[in-house]
Amino acid sequence: MKRGFGSDNHSGIHPKILNAIAQANSKHAKAYGDDEWTVKTVAIFKRVFGETALPFFVFNGTGANILALKSLTHPFHAVVCAETAHINVDECGAPERFLGCKLLAIPCPDGKLTPELVLPKLHGFGDQHHAQPKVISISQSTELGTLYQPKEIAALAELAHRHDMYLHVDGSRFANAAAALNTSFKALSADLGVDALSFGGTKNGLMIGEAVIFFRPEPAQHFLYHRKQAAQLYSKMRFMTAQFEAFFDNDLWKEIADNANRKAQLLAQKLSDIETVTITQKVEANAVFAIIDPQLKQKLLQEYFFYDWDESRNEVRWMCSWDTTEKDVTAFTEAVLDVGK
């Protein structure tokens, strides 16, 4: 199988991040986050996201989302999300199981919630017969590769806070969004009223690890205990946090995200001229969604792995990574043309 566009999870570890892990392996250190690398990385997160930021480190994205939401909710609460949200589609029912909360999923053609879409779900407050809406959860970038503009996030935060709710952001590709919007992490989160952020690392060149960031102290109060009970506390924490130190050093994160985003733009550009391919979403981050002929898809899958998105209409998803090259894009485009002959 050739190097392809199945997922940004398929890429390896960035060499600078791998080197940071090796450097952290140079001596003994205290466990469970009481080490010098973790202390330094927490300080870096506060510098990058603002002094109100309270970062915690976990193994994976599903763990980050569940633990962030658990800190924001009680079992009688409800979480409003897009129908395509990762918490609704790709976490095997884990949010419902571990939170006890109801998910209120809203159809969104472009993957983006708006105050107008959310508002009809915000009712039954104080009624003991109804699950109480408590969190609006969005993804940035979305599962459809689209981006929330800062003003759109601010509007959702204002709506949430007006109803005594929280705004949570699933940011497994938050770096791609910040790079594409040419803005800082703080300007895209704390400054807009985001209450909790699941910040991705694994899709952006890390071997393992995500961060849960709170921007107010109340929901973070019991996170340490939630994390331990959920088996998301890493004993040798330095190997996780050293990666984030390298990730932020000299804006490596931007180099990583920019490459993935640019290659997605290039891929979309090259494919848009092919009659058998129809791009279905705006290419705003590092994802390309397209409808292709089913016979063409089966031929392509013999050489390249990628995922179906909507089999009912032959829609597929192609993802670019930190290490996707122009040569990769050109080879794939030529393969599409060859199998379509």
Side-chain angles (χ1 to χ4, degrees), residues 112-115 138 147-157 167:
K112 293 165 59 176
L113 293 177
T114 65
I138 64 174
L147 296 176
Y148 284 92
Q149 296 298 314
K151 64 181 181 180
E152 294 173 319
I153 297 176
L156 288 167
L167 178 63

Side-chain angles (χ1 to χ4, degrees), residues 7 63 98 112 135 175 184 296 300:
S7 173
F98 291 102
K112 293 165 59 176
V135 178
S184 70
L296 170 64
L300 269 178

